[in-house]
Amino acid sequence: MADIALEALDDMPWERLESALGHDPAVELRRALRGLAGKGAAATEEDCDPLFACVALGTGRVTSVATAVLPFVVALAGDPDMGARATLVQLLTGLSEAAASAGEGRVDAGWPGAWHRHRPRLLALLADSLPEVRREALPLAEGVGVLLERWHAETDPTVRLPVLLALGTAAAGSADAGTVDRVRAVAAEVLRTGTPVMRVAAVHAWAAFDPRAPVRELDLLVEVLSDPSVRPGFEAIWYLPDVEGAFTREDVVSWAAHLLAGAPQTALAFVVRLIDAARRTGDTLLCRAALDEAWQLLVVRPSAAAALLPLAGALLADPDDGVRYRAAHLLAALGTRAAPYADALAALLDDPGEAGFLEGTVGDHARWALTRIGDPRALPQLVDRLYAPYQGRFSRGYCLGDPRLPEVEDVLTPLRAHAEILLPEVRQLLRDDGVGGSLTCPFLRVLQTWGPAAAPALPEVVALLGDARYSGDAVDALVAMGAAAASAIPAVRRCTLLDFPVDQRRVAWAVWRLGGDRDTALRLIGEAVLAEQEPFYPPMVLLGDFGPAAAPYADRVRHLMEHGDTWLRTRAAVALWSITGEPEPSVPVLEEYLTPLAHGDDSYGSFLYALQALARIGTISPAARAILRTVQGLDQRLSTYRDYRAILQDEEIRSAINDVLALP
């Protein structure tokens, strides 16, 4: 093992050393190191696993085991006859990063000295004979000076490119203007004379310390990334340390789009131009990648819709399944704005095309798009198609942020006008899948939003009152049906609810809403509001339904409005207005929850509830009106989601803003 004798392994007190996780037997390190040395050129990445397990990178600690193993790993990594050298260098760079980021007292006292002693041999790895070792060793370079030396000495493009990127990162962390100028000169030279792929890398390196660089070089990025002949060049040389395999041209498209995040209009121009170029050349992979970045822009910036709408509409006719899938999903998210493409979407209802690991088919997304437009051609088989992903399963798998199938409630809730057509399928599924079904509660919540239009489903809903998992949603659905569900009162009185103290109050409230005794319900709910200890299900919302009849409890409601948390204050404000009929002091309390959003806060739930409450009360102050106009003018989705739900929530909040601004 280079110049470290194997006998030295036996001299180490492995059993007394502290492992990072506290349970890996450090003594096994001796066996692992002997095994690596014995295998030599035949050693593999898997043979290094015990070393990684014992030092446990990612725990925020560097223990005595890491200090003890350091000289042996350095020796093995520098041994030309070792087969797993690149992996061992990854272990060294990981330990270096762990030591740099670990908190005070979390690095073994002997580590700094050991690392300093071996630093010459560590830096020698930067000039190793193997390109993969030199590449993995780049994080060990300390400062721009060492990296510049490597840049001028390096000839292998698979190392030269990551050196260039590392120079950009190092310049970004330097406060010395001269150092930054030296790196800028390197990037500028590559932009003038480099190969197309290296020129794109130069833009990325420059962007690390000058975010405007990608904006200035937009034409270059589009030209190179949209040239099909250049595509293989990315996979040939675009490597990074500690990343398995090369980056594809499509990976770099995504990376370049993120570089433009601070310039949204330029980012939009970037993806639009790539899509246009891909359509001209038939470059399917580029079109998919650019559509993915277009989607990420759309879920953040409402202004992106105007440019992306016609592109997505045109791509519905693309021969590639993945392109049509993405185009249909984008149009579905755009809702009524996609109405000009309704016929093209209807023609895709039976399209079985899929997009790799993304959820659903082209037809599924086309059907959803038609529902968002309000086109009745989407209605046949809609409920069955929504249920299909759950058939035989309780849930689905997807990645947040990727295009995916919408939730059942998001599709059906807006379709109350078509309840008569959709109810037979919903009722059938409640009968077939009601007990233990994965969509039972979502279907019940849909029926609740449909209100009286859902009354034909009364038998199916009543049948679920005996199951504590669904009875709460079933009660809410029955109450929403109104007088048409009055016959369910005896069943509601007997229903099984989860064993919380609020249940009898909620049942009494539901019975009253269906036509039963009001006084009993008011007394039970009023007593809960007066109680010192808040129940699990706060009865404040229920109390507001009684209006002036709840006047004996107004003082308590006012107290909770003034001293409760956000949830309780806003609900109490609405209840107090309902009881007294007076906008003051409820309106000022609700308006408090409008201000934060104008200053970058993301409390969208509180903001929306306050808006809806103000619309009910019917008045707003001039100051709040000005705040809403500020929020209305923001070019950002009013949502913390980063998938299609961002657009739905943004639409809902902006609609509520319009309602409030329309108040006299």
Side-chain angles (χ1 to χ4, degrees):
M1 192 193 303
D3 59 350
I4 294 184
L6 289 176
E7 288 75 11
L9 290 171
D10 298 323
D11 296 335
M12 293 294 300
W14 299 106
E15 65 281 353
R16 296 201 302 270
L17 300 176
E18 179 190 10
S19 175
L21 294 178
H23 62 265
D24 289 322
V27 68
E28 291 193 7
L29 281 172
R30 179 170 48 198
R31 185 180 303 114
L33 291 168
R34 280 187 176 278
L36 281 166
K39 285 191 173 184
T44 65
E45 178 180 345
E46 288 73 19
D47 294 317
C48 301
D49 287 347
L51 303 182
F52 282 87
C54 274
V55 301
L57 298 175
T59 61
R61 302 176 62 206
V62 177
T63 65
S64 56
V65 160
T67 303
V69 82
L70 178 62
F72 302 103
V73 175
V74 171
L76 288 169
D79 187 347
D81 296 324
M82 171 53 52
R85 297 177 63 212
T87 303
L88 291 167
V89 175
Q90 289 175 355
L91 178 58
L92 291 170
T93 59
L95 286 169
S96 174
E97 292 165 2
S101 61
E104 185 177 356
R106 298 181 65 81
V107 177
D108 176 57
W111 174 264
W115 185 263
H116 180 74
R117 285 194 300 276
H118 293 286
R119 186 170 180 271
R121 301 184 67 180
L122 291 165
L123 293 179
L125 295 171
L126 292 165
D128 194 86
S129 60
L130 294 180
E132 58 268 31
V133 170
R134 299 198 299 275
R135 183 168 61 243
E136 294 300 338
L138 284 175
L140 299 176
E142 298 176 2
V144 170
V146 175
L147 287 170
L148 283 171
E149 289 177 9
R150 292 312 314 150
W151 170 255
H152 293 300
E154 186 59 63
T155 58
D156 191 302
T158 68
V159 185
R160 195 166 171 78
L161 187 146
V163 170
L164 179 59
L165 296 178
L167 278 168
T169 302
S174 175
D176 180 62
T179 295
V180 174
D181 286 342
R182 293 169 69 193
V183 175
R184 183 183 292 109
V186 169
E189 178 63 22
V190 176
L191 279 175
R192 287 194 300 271
T193 64
T195 64
V197 174
M198 286 298 292
R199 293 172 71 199
V200 172
V203 176
H204 283 70
W206 204 326
F209 57 90
D210 179 3
R212 297 297 298 176
V215 177
R216 295 192 301 270
E217 300 297 337
L218 178 64
D219 290 343
L220 167 65
L221 292 173
V222 172
E223 176 188 351
V224 175
L225 291 168
S226 62
D227 186 344
S229 67
V230 178
R231 183 180 184 276
F234 287 91
E235 291 185 65
I237 68 170
W238 201 296
Y239 287 85
L240 289 181
D242 203 22
V243 177
E244 185 176 356
F247 285 72
T248 66
R249 187 264 313 260
E250 292 70 48
D251 294 328
V252 179
V253 165
S254 178
W255 195 353
H258 289 125
L259 293 181
L260 293 165
Q265 292 306 312
T266 305
L268 180 61
F270 174 65
V271 298
V272 167
R273 290 175 63 180
L274 289 182
I275 292 171
D276 284 338
R279 292 176 61 199
R280 288 194 304 271
T281 61
D283 193 335
T284 295
L285 293 176
L286 176 62
C287 195
R288 290 182 193 172
L291 278 172
D292 285 338
E293 298 311 315
W295 172 247
Q296 295 301 320
L297 282 174
L298 186 64
V299 297
V300 175
R301 303 283 181 183
S303 61
L308 298 179
L309 177 65
L311 288 175
L315 290 170
L316 290 176
D318 195 272
D320 180 68
D321 290 351
V323 170
R324 294 196 311 282
Y325 176 103
R326 289 166 171 82
H329 182 78
L330 195 151
L331 289 173
L334 287 174
T336 56
R337 299 182 69 161
Y341 306 100
D343 289 343
L345 289 163
L348 298 176
L349 285 174
D350 297 320
D351 190 327
E354 297 180 327
F357 296 103
L358 301 179
E359 267 198 319
T361 65
V362 175
D364 290 330
H365 290 280
R367 191 178 303 275
W368 177 37
L370 289 176
T371 70
R372 294 265 289 148
I373 292 169
D375 192 309
R377 287 175 287 185
L379 301 179
Q381 303 180 347
L382 174 62
V383 176
D384 285 341
R385 290 303 304 164
L386 291 173
Y387 178 69
Y390 295 89
Q391 198 161 12
R393 296 178 291 172
F394 195 81
S395 63
R396 300 142 44 199
Y398 51 81
C399 292
L400 293 176
D402 283 347
R404 65 179 178 94
L405 293 177
E407 301 298 328
V408 168
E409 293 163 90
D410 293 332
V411 178
L412 294 182
T413 294
L415 299 180
R416 176 165 45 189
H418 303 288
E420 184 177 357
I421 297 172
L422 297 170
L423 267 173
E425 290 180 80
V426 173
R427 295 178 64 188
Q428 185 62 50
L429 283 174
L430 283 176
R431 288 194 294 270
D432 295 346
D433 202 40
V435 177
S438 53
L439 290 182
T440 300
C441 284
F443 278 140
L444 287 171
R445 290 191 288 269
V446 169
L447 295 180
Q448 180 186 352
T449 62
W450 285 357
L458 180 63
E460 288 76 23
V461 177
V462 169
L464 294 169
L465 290 172
D467 192 313
R469 292 171 296 177
Y470 314 119
S471 53
D473 287 313
V475 165
D476 289 339
L478 291 170
V479 170
M481 291 176 189
S487 62
I489 288 178
V492 171
R493 285 196 176 105
R494 297 190 304 269
C495 79
T496 301
L497 291 172
L498 297 176
D499 190 19
F500 295 125
V502 76
D503 286 347
Q504 60 178 328
R505 298 186 285 273
R506 192 174 180 193
V507 167
W509 165 81
V511 168
W512 163 58
R513 291 292 302 272
L514 291 171
D517 176 33
R518 184 195 72 173
D519 293 341
T520 299
L522 177 57
R523 176 178 54 81
L524 289 172
I525 294 169
E527 289 175 354
V529 171
L530 292 174
E532 290 297 324
Q533 185 176 3
E534 293 178 27
F536 177 79
Y537 181 91
M540 189 62 63
V541 176
L542 305 182
L543 185 65
D545 286 353
F546 294 92
Y553 310 103
D555 288 343
R556 175 62 174 166
V557 173
R558 184 188 299 270
H559 174 80
L560 294 173
M561 181 186 71
E562 293 171 349
H563 301 287
D565 59 14
T566 295
W567 192 98
L568 194 55
R569 290 191 74 207
T570 53
R571 272 66 181 180
V574 174
L576 184 63
W577 163 77
S578 176
I579 293 168
T580 66
E582 297 293 332
E584 300 288 339
S586 296
V587 167
V589 169
L590 292 167
E591 288 183 348
E592 289 179 28
Y593 297 96
L594 304 182
T595 304
L597 222 65
H599 298 95
D601 191 83
D602 61 357
S603 303
Y604 299 108
S606 302
F607 182 82
L608 178 59
Y609 184 86
L611 283 174
Q612 293 168 334
L614 289 167
R616 287 179 59 194
I617 294 173
T619 185
I620 185 175
S621 70
R625 193 180 293 273
I627 289 169
L628 292 183
R629 289 201 179 98
T630 297
V631 175
Q632 191 179 47
L634 297 175
D635 184 23
Q636 67 181 56
R637 295 293 180 190
L638 304 179
S639 175
T640 55
Y641 294 120
R642 286 299 177 262
D643 57 12
Y644 78 88
R645 293 171 297 174
I647 298 172
L648 299 191
Q649 187 176 34
D650 182 63
E651 289 176 348
E652 183 180 21
I653 292 176
R654 289 182 184 276
S655 176
I657 290 174
N658 292 338
D659 290 342
V660 173
L661 288 177
L663 294 173

